[in-house]
Amino acid sequence: MLASAIRVMLLWGVALSAWALESVSAVDRAMAQLIEDGSALEQAVSRQAGQQVSLADLRLLAARLDRYEQVLAQTARQVQLSPDVMSQPGYDQLLNESIQLSQLSVNLAGGIERLASRAEADSSEQYRNTLETMVRAMLRLSDDIGVMADRILFTEEQIGIMADRIGEMADRILETQRIQNENIARVHETANRLIDRLALDVPRMDEAYRDATVRQREMVQQQRELQQQMQEMRAQQQASQEQLQQMRGF
């Protein structure tokens, strides 16, 4: 059954590479599939974490996690949305799905930590190597979800270009970014605990995340400033229109 699931994900990944995801509906379908597959993987990890863990079980889950990460990374690369989608129906759903994906990464990290606790009594090198593989895949997955979110949320430059058309969606985008940042931090915290506890050969994420957090905060601040500028521009435009109307009345 596990082998069949992996084959399905392989075939889906091959099919996905044939086109770019350039519309809200296409990205929505791709993300819905990722959420479905990720939820199934999360459930498998959680079930196994509640049982005795064998090396064979651990390796199967590691392979499945690795393949899921590859498919998600490929999907993120395929997303090619323009800022115009912000005004399209369904864009708000993409923001919700982005949050769902990042929450999945948090849940998977927690499941892997529970797996590690189950397998911790066995100090064999093979167990440690397999858990290290899972931690690395977990961190890559978190990065991939961040890339996906960036492509859906856009950069401050694109938001600036669309400033006169975003409206209240800017607040929704900023809130989604805040949740994404919190979830990434939680995954990194879990990874750091596992790295320390099992003495894994994986760099701690403290400094890398600290740098990323600073960049994210700067971007959020820039977006807030752009939003303020946008509101001021609207107020000026409205004042100008009122003046023109008054002039026409004379």
Side-chain angles (χ1 to χ4, degrees), residues 21 27 30-31 34 71-73 75-77 79 98 101 143-153 180:
L21 302 174
V27 177
M31 291 187 71
L34 286 169
V71 172
L72 197 146
T75 306
R77 288 194 296 269
V79 175
S98 172
L101 271 181
D143 288 343
D144 297 336
I145 290 171
V147 170
M148 177 82 77
D150 287 345
R151 288 176 175 243
I152 291 170
L153 298 173
Q180 285 281 359

Side-chain angles (χ1 to χ4, degrees), residues 104-123:
L104 269 174
S105 72
V106 173
N107 296 344
L108 277 169
I112 293 168
E113 187 171 24
R114 291 193 298 276
L115 276 175
S117 296
R118 282 283 185 178
E120 197 170 3
D122 192 316
S123 58

Side-chain angles (χ1 to χ4, degrees), residues 62-175:
R64 190 170 171 184
L65 175 63
D66 184 65
R67 184 55 206 161
Y68 180 67
E69 183 275 324
Q70 291 180 42
V71 172
L72 197 146
Q74 184 181 36
T75 306
R77 288 194 296 269
Q78 296 292 329
V79 175
Q80 297 180 17
L81 295 174
S82 69
D84 291 332
V85 302
M86 291 181 184
S87 58
Q88 292 179 17
Y91 176 66
D92 195 61
Q93 177 62 20
L94 293 187
L95 302 186
N96 292 333
E97 288 168 338
S98 172
I99 292 172
Q100 282 182 267
L101 271 181
S102 69
Q103 184 59 51
L104 269 174
S105 72
V106 173
N107 296 344
L108 277 169
I112 293 168
E113 187 171 24
R114 291 193 298 276
L115 276 175
S117 296
R118 282 283 185 178
E120 197 170 3
D122 192 316
S123 58
S124 71
E125 195 66 21
Q126 290 178 320
Y127 269 94
R128 289 182 67 259
N129 288 344
T130 305
L131 286 167
E132 181 179 317
T133 297
M134 296 185 82
V135 170
R136 289 183 182 276
M138 178 179 73
L139 291 171
R140 291 199 310 271
L141 183 67
S142 180
D143 288 343
D144 297 336
I145 290 171
V147 170
M148 177 82 77
D150 287 345
R151 288 176 175 243
I152 291 170
L153 298 173
F154 306 102
T155 65
E156 65 271 20
E157 289 85 0
Q158 289 172 303
I159 289 178
I161 292 170
M162 296 292 291
D164 60 335
R165 297 172 60 185
I166 294 174
E168 62 187 22
M169 185 58 73
D171 287 333
R172 181 76 174 87
I173 291 169
L174 292 174
E175 177 62 13

Side-chain angles (χ1 to χ4, degrees), residues 21-49:
L21 302 174
E22 299 177 335
S23 68
V24 169
S25 59
V27 177
D28 175 60
R29 287 192 299 271
M31 291 187 71
Q33 186 66 58
L34 286 169
I35 291 168
E36 181 180 338
D37 293 341
S39 297
L41 176 56
E42 178 200 340
Q43 290 170 12
V45 170
S46 295
R47 279 195 305 270
Q48 192 62 60

